[in-house]
Amino acid sequence: MKKYLMIPGPTPVARSIQDEMGRETIAFGDAAFVSDFSSVLSELKALFDCSGEAFVISGTGTLAMETAAANSTKPNDDVLLISHGYFGDRFAEIFTRKGRNVDVLSSEWGKHVDLDLISQKLLEKDYKALVVTHVDTATGTMADIEAIGKLVSAYPETLYIVDGVCATAGIKEKVDSMNIDILLTGSQKAFGVAPGLAILWASQKAIQRRESLGVIPEYYCDFEKWLPIMHDPSKYFATPSVNMIWALQESLRIIAEEGLENRYARHIKYAHAVQKALESLGFTILADEEHRAYTLSNVIYPDGIDDAAFRNTLSSEGVQVAGGLGPYAGKMFRLGHMGNIDIHDLVAVMAAIERTLAKCGYPVQLGQGVNVLENELF
Ligand code: PMP
């Protein structure tokens, strides 16, 4: 049976993107690759409205988080961190381990930190950075990154850092016009590339901050080591992932073909349809409706459904989803709906969820969720 990879990353990788990974690898100094890498970097800057710098480094989202922390602040700097769940807490741990003084504003899982609270907190100290996760994958809560950016713009000494791992290329983010100083993501989410690339954008202000820090202890994730390569990829610092960068180039081609704004609109439409259909089947969505992500759904089981039985049965019906984290382990599953998927995928997935419910002994009418989904998408 065909397997649908519907976890919140890695997401399904389109055939044409896989083909790039299967190409014969060439020297990273080959003029053809240097030109491809340069065009990837300039497209990333243009698409995400960044007049500063873009970085593409071998690694995952966590490396991008560490890179952001290392290049933006030094030990004893005050950092304000907004956490909507597990990945916000991870970012707090990264800054804390590096000796930054981290004030965390966190919400109950599924709720969000109020803007007024953030604006009051900003008055308390001269924060060197404000850090937020755009979509916390553990809770499906989406931060209002544009509104937070407006708050931070009143504080010229505060860098605004956004973890876009579960959002970038699926939910609107604009570096310059949203006042973002560092935006970061991984290749395996809404770009629809396999895991393996850490991608960052940095404003001029962020680059100036890096300069002011002098020598930093981190070597591999030092912006200053990478900047000469990002300006001229024929130079060497550490070996670029040649095939993965081609894969990202193909993903950017797919995004350009769809149109970034259309892609964002598609993610909103899919999220509403999927969430409404799941609710019609008796599930509830963890995140409050006003702050609910467009890239994934964090879906709480109705009474009587066993997590392991549900996910194993769903897997045998052809669909892989992820389990809940932290306090929601065993109570929830997480369904990704980001990147290069289409209506065929969603209909197949919803039908498999219905069959699974039926096999788990839950009263369901086959076609019920699909009907809601199709009416929303049609
Ligand atoms: N931030 C968020 C919001 C994430 O969802 C993830 C991964 N699920 C990460 C950071 C860490 O990324 P990675 O697993 O690629 O290191």
Side-chain angles (χ1 to χ4, degrees), residues 40-54 145-146 168-169 171-183 191 200-204 252 260-261 264:
V40 163
L41 292 163
S42 43
E43 278 170 55
L44 285 173
K45 286 202 275 185
L47 268 180
F48 294 90
D49 184 33
C50 176
S51 57
E53 306 285 350
I145 58 155
E146 188 163 15
T168 307
I171 306 175
K172 193 169 192 158
E173 290 167 338
K174 287 189 169 290
V175 173
D176 287 356
S177 52
M178 291 187 181
N179 192 43
I180 298 172
D181 292 302
I182 301 181
L183 172 67
F191 275 112
L200 298 102
W201 294 257
S203 68
Q204 289 301 343
L252 291 168
L260 192 55
E261 292 299 326
Y264 293 146

Side-chain angles (χ1 to χ4, degrees), residues 8-9 59-65 87-88 90-91 133-138 163-167 184-189 195-197 334:
T60 71
T62 307
L63 178 83
M65 294 163 85
F87 288 101
R90 171 177 292 196
F91 223 157
T133 314
H134 193 171
V135 169
D136 200 303
T137 321
D163 170 352
V165 175
C166 197
L184 62 97
T185 191
S187 48
Q188 77 276 21
K189 301 269 186 176
L197 293 177
R334 293 178 303 140

Side-chain angles (χ1 to χ4, degrees), residues 59-369:
T60 71
T62 307
L63 178 83
M65 294 163 85
E66 181 142 22
T67 303
N71 288 277
S72 61
T73 50
K74 58 181 187 311
N76 297 320
D77 277 354
D78 289 316
V79 171
L80 178 57
L81 195 138
I82 320 300
S83 178
H84 291 129
Y86 178 90
F87 288 101
D89 295 349
R90 171 177 292 196
F91 223 157
E93 189 184 349
I94 291 173
F95 275 95
T96 305
R97 281 208 188 187
K98 291 181 182 298
R100 283 50 162 170
N101 300 322
V102 186
D103 288 344
V104 181
L105 282 178
S106 52
S107 60
E108 191 187 320
W109 279 33
K111 307 270 178 249
H112 99 296
V113 176
D114 212 61
L115 277 181
D116 289 343
L117 217 64
I118 302 173
S119 97
Q120 279 164 28
K121 197 76 189 165
L122 278 167
L123 294 169
E124 283 182 17
K125 292 182 188 168
D126 291 329
Y127 289 108
K128 290 290 184 252
L130 182 145
V131 186
V132 69
T133 314
H134 193 171
V135 169
D136 200 303
T137 321
T139 57
T141 299
M142 179 167 68
D144 188 345
I145 58 155
E146 188 163 15
I148 299 174
K150 283 193 184 127
L151 294 180
V152 185
S153 66
Y155 300 86
E157 288 306 307
T158 310
L159 291 187
Y160 182 31
I161 300 174
V162 177
D163 170 352
V165 175
C166 197
T168 307
I171 306 175
K172 193 169 192 158
E173 290 167 338
K174 287 189 169 290
V175 173
D176 287 356
S177 52
M178 291 187 181
N179 192 43
I180 298 172
D181 292 302
I182 301 181
L183 172 67
L184 62 97
T185 191
S187 48
Q188 77 276 21
K189 301 269 186 176
F191 275 112
V193 176
L197 293 177
I199 306 164
L200 298 102
W201 294 257
S203 68
Q204 289 301 343
K205 190 168 135 188
I207 298 299
Q208 284 157 13
R209 171 68 61 80
R210 168 64 197 92
E211 283 167 11
S212 76
L213 298 177
V215 176
I216 60 171
E218 293 81 0
Y219 190 80
Y220 182 74
C221 57
D222 184 352
F223 276 169
E224 290 201 338
K225 292 285 184 198
W226 286 112
L227 267 179
I229 287 76
M230 300 304 147
H231 291 161
D232 174 7
S234 71
K235 293 192 172 139
Y236 167 76
F237 167 54
T239 309
S241 298
V242 173
N243 291 67
M244 292 302 296
I245 289 165
W246 279 334
L248 179 60
Q249 186 177 32
E250 174 58 12
S251 155
L252 291 168
R253 192 200 59 74
I254 291 172
I255 292 172
E257 194 175 73
E258 180 176 17
L260 192 55
E261 292 299 326
N262 294 337
R263 191 174 179 89
Y264 293 146
R266 173 170 63 77
H267 278 76
I268 294 174
K269 193 171 170 182
Y270 282 8
H272 287 156
V274 166
Q275 288 159 2
K276 206 166 166 186
L278 289 169
E279 282 169 341
S280 80
L281 292 172
F283 296 102
T284 43
I285 307 293
L286 172 63
D288 283 349
E289 204 167 348
E290 321 83 80
H291 306 288
R292 201 174 274 176
Y294 307 135
T295 43
L296 86 162
S297 296
N298 296 42
V299 191
I300 299 172
Y301 296 114
D303 286 343
I305 297 288
D306 176 74
D307 174 45
F310 179 86
R311 285 193 292 128
N312 288 337
T313 310
L314 186 56
S315 173
S316 66
E317 290 296 324
V319 176
Q320 251 180 321
V321 295
L325 296 173
Y328 285 88
K331 295 182 185 152
M332 174 175 94
F333 74 94
R334 293 178 303 140
L335 175 71
H337 33 79
M338 68 186 117
N340 299 318
I341 54 167
D342 62 21
I343 187 169
H344 301 292
D345 300 318
L346 295 182
V347 168
V349 166
M350 199 53 66
I353 290 174
E354 291 173 357
R355 293 196 300 276
T356 301
L357 283 174
K359 285 192 171 174
C360 290
Y362 186 79
V364 59
Q365 204 182 338
L366 294 181
Q368 188 182 325

